Amino acid sequence: GQNIDQPTEMTATEGAIVQINCTYQTSGFNGLFWYQQHAGEAPTFLSYNVLDGLEEKGRFSSFLSRSKGYSYLLLKELQMKDSASYLCAVMDSNYQLIWGAGTKLIIKP
Amino acid sequence: GAVVSQHPSWVICKSGTSVKIECRSLDFQATTMFWYRQFPKQSLMLMATSNEGSKATYEQGVEKDKFLINHASLTLSTLTVTSAHPEDSSFYICSAKGPRDVELFFGEGSRLTVL
């Protein structure tokens, strides 16, 4: 079966750095997505990785290792507004998105 | 980025009535749109894939006669929850593949409460 694993909840301090991991087992691979979702709102796109390596976009970076079925989202200089759920999703060989359950990130002052 | 608009944002209805939710791509043509349902503290659950001009493809366990999807144009897909019941109360979200066919752009979501 297809499976996406990410931690349920993480806590970090304002100004610090946090890494949210995601491991996956899917039928084929056509890219991995990270989305941010604030409570009661729709997800917003953060990043897309299809090749191995690190993609940096401002305070957020995303890493992918296809051989290990592993990705992480790195958030630097954490701000209170970063408190949200972070969803990992993998596009399989049929171009269907398989979603993880999301990681709730709590930022403390 | 591409914009997807969803309407209404909030809807409260009586049990047994039908509710229609619209999903529009405002500045691009979306041949494929997706409808999701999300219960509190759970991840998105894909309900169906909507393709312009053809019948929607429903995920296993989703009743196609209850959740009617129409994708009559390249910019509009609608989800109608027929004979809604309290257990249908949820957050319904649509998304569309962007112009580059890689990113997914989400509507604002529609929170349905069935009394």
Side-chain angles (χ1 to χ4, degrees), chain A residues 37-56:
Chain A
Q37 186 179 25
H38 286 99
E41 298 181 11
T44 55
F45 173 82
L46 289 179
S47 67
Y48 170 69
N49 294 67
V50 67
L51 299 176
D52 289 350
L54 186 68
E55 294 274 347
E56 296 187 73

Side-chain angles (χ1 to χ4, degrees), chain A residues 65-109:
Chain A
S65 169
R66 288 172 296 172
S67 62
K68 295 182 179 178
Y70 167 71
S71 171
Y72 67 72
L73 180 69
L74 190 71
L75 292 77
K76 303 176 184 177
E77 302 170 16
L78 287 171
Q79 301 175 10
M80 297 303 293
K81 66 179 182 179
D82 297 330
S83 293
S85 287
Y86 291 85
L87 308 176
C88 172
V90 173
M91 187 172 284
D92 68 10
S93 56
N94 294 318
Y95 294 92
Q96 297 294 325
L97 269 186
I98 312 299
W99 292 87
T103 299
K104 183 179 180 180
L105 178 62
I106 300 169
I107 310 296
K108 294 185 176 179

